[in-house]
Amino acid sequence: PRKYPGGPPGVAAPRLLEASPDAPRRYVTMDVEDAKNLETWLEVGSWSWNWMEPPLGQASFFLLCLQYSRDQIQKIGGKSYTEYIMEKRGTKLCDTFPQYNKLAVAAFGKSIMAS
């Protein structure tokens, strides 16, 4: 069974707002706020956002760069990764079953990827 650091995925998100003294030390290397600054769930949420914002920002920027690259590749006539895989699958099926109509087999290979 898969072990999640904060419990199952549905339970892990609310743990960001948990102010137990050992929770931040297990996952975060940042200094823990004073107890007077972590009295409400809003203060705990604000503190947890301070250490989660940099990695989330970097991940979001990386995804934005991937989307931009894909769009630019399509604008110059290139194929997206999905289109490449669909064509490759159709070609592989044509090579595996040469006795059948190549157009029909290639179209089938592309269609099973889309469904």
Side-chain angles (χ1 to χ4, degrees):
R2 189 175 266 191
K3 301 237 179 183
Y4 297 99
V11 179
R15 291 200 57 155
L16 286 176
L17 304 176
E18 176 186 323
S20 82
D22 63 335
R25 288 190 197 102
R26 287 183 288 178
Y27 309 116
V28 183
T29 58
M30 184 175 145
D31 293 335
V32 180
E33 285 282 333
D34 295 332
K36 64 179 176 136
N37 294 336
L38 297 176
E39 291 176 351
T40 67
W41 65 273
L42 291 170
E43 292 169 338
V44 173
S46 174
W47 176 78
S48 65
W49 177 250
N50 284 336
W51 58 266
M52 282 304 297
E53 185 179 16
L56 288 175
Q58 289 177 352
S60 298
F61 183 72
F62 178 70
L63 290 174
L64 180 68
C65 289
L66 288 177
Q67 290 172 347
Y68 180 74
S69 299
R70 179 179 188 263
D71 187 47
Q72 294 304 311
I73 288 171
Q74 286 181 333
K75 280 185 180 179
I76 62 172
K79 294 180 183 173
S80 68
Y81 180 72
T82 304
E83 292 170 335
Y84 171 75
I85 294 296
M86 288 171 69
E87 184 176 310
K88 196 81 164 153
R89 182 175 289 202
T91 305
K92 188 175 179 182
L93 277 176
C94 286
D95 293 342
T96 305
F97 301 102
Q99 68 269 24
Y100 298 110
N101 183 350
K102 287 191 181 289
L103 292 175
V105 173
F108 175 74
K110 291 179 183 178
S111 68
I112 60 172
M113 181 73 172
S115 60

